C-alpha cells in the first residue's frame, strides 16, 4: 500500500474515484445527476451564463457569471429563474449555492436564498457564504 500525492490533473483517476463513490451512493438511492447550463448570448457572443447540475432533488448552482457591461440589468435573475424552473421540471425541491462576500451574497438573498452557513478567512480575508432556497416541487424520499 502507498499514498500518492499529485498536483497534476488525471481524468482517469478522478473518474475512478468519483464513479466509485456514486456506485456506493447508489446503494441508498438512485443516482440521477444531470448537467444544467443556461447561456446568455448577444450576437453570437457569450455574455453570461450559469453552470449547475441537478441531483437527488437539488439544484447545485456551481457558477454564475455576467459580463461587466450586462450587469444590473436583470440578466442574472433571468438565468436563475430559467435554471430554477428547469430544476422544478426535474423534480428538484431545493437549490443551493455558495458565494464570497465580494461576489453576490445580496443578489442571491434578494432571490429568496437564505444563509445556512459561512466560512471566514478564505485567502485570509474573505468570507464564503452557503445559501439555499426551497423550490416548489413534490417531496420524495
Amino acid at each position: 500500500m502507498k499514498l500518492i500525492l499529485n498536483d497534476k490533473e488525471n481524468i482517469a483517476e478522478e473518474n475512478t474515484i468519483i464513479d466509485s463513490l456514486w456506485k456506493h451512493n447508489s446503494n441508498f438511492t438512485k443516482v440521477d445527476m444531470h448537467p444544467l447550463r443556461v447561456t446568455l448570448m448577444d450576437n453570437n457572443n457569450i455574455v453570461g451564463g450559469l453552470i449547475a447540475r441537478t441531483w437527488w432533488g437539488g439544484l447545485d448552482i456551481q457558477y454564475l457569471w455576467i459580463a461587466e457591461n450586462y450587469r444590473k440589468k436583470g440578466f442574472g435573475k433571468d438565468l436563475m429563474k430559467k435554471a430554477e424552473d428547469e430544476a422544478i421540471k426535474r423534480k428538484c425541491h431545493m437549490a443551493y449555492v455558495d458565494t464570497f462576500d465580494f461576489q453576490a451574497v445580496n443578489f442571491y438573498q434578494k432571490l429568496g436564498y437564505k444563509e445556512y452557513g459561512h466560512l471566514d478567512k478564505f485567502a485570509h480575508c474573505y468570507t464564503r457564504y452557503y445559501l439555499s432556497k426551497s423550490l416548489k416541487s413534490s417531496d420524495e424520499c
Side-chain angles (χ1 to χ4, degrees), residues 7-126:
D7 64 352
K8 306 261 186 300
E9 185 174 58
N10 184 320
I11 298 299
E13 283 183 10
E14 290 176 18
N15 285 339
T16 297
I17 293 165
I18 292 166
D19 292 346
S20 297
L21 173 63
W22 284 113
K23 183 178 178 186
H24 168 76
N25 290 348
S26 70
N27 292 314
F28 299 93
T29 190
K30 180 182 168 196
V31 175
D32 62 347
M33 189 175 292
H34 301 283
L36 191 157
R37 185 178 65 250
V38 185
T39 308
L40 179 62
M41 303 291 291
D42 188 10
N43 295 320
N44 293 322
N45 295 312
I46 297 173
V47 296
L50 180 147
I51 297 173
R53 61 184 168 201
T54 57
W55 62 290
W56 285 358
L59 170 62
D60 179 0
I61 302 157
Q62 299 169 318
Y63 302 99
L64 174 64
W65 167 76
I66 304 289
E68 193 74 37
N69 52 336
Y70 290 82
R71 294 180 186 169
K72 308 277 188 209
K73 297 180 180 179
F75 295 120
K77 182 179 179 181
D78 293 344
L79 289 169
M80 290 294 294
K81 174 80 169 116
K82 189 84 157 171
E84 289 174 358
D85 288 348
E86 177 60 22
I88 291 168
K89 287 179 188 173
R90 296 180 185 190
K91 304 213 182 326
C92 291
H93 64 278
M94 66 176 168
Y96 54 96
V97 66
D98 66 85
T99 189
F100 289 96
D101 53 2
F102 62 87
Q103 290 177 324
V105 176
N106 294 333
F107 166 76
Y108 292 112
Q109 288 173 333
K110 287 178 187 174
L111 295 178
Y113 286 75
K114 306 281 186 224
E115 179 186 339
Y116 65 88
H118 66 270
L119 291 172
D120 295 325
K121 306 286 186 193
F122 265 80
H124 303 284
C125 57
Y126 300 110

Side-chain angles (χ1 to χ4, degrees), residues 118-137:
H118 66 270
L119 291 172
D120 295 325
K121 306 286 186 193
F122 265 80
H124 303 284
C125 57
Y126 300 110
T127 301
R128 187 173 188 174
Y129 291 92
Y130 298 87
L131 304 114
S132 67
K133 174 181 178 178
S134 291
L135 299 177
K136 194 163 131 184
S137 177

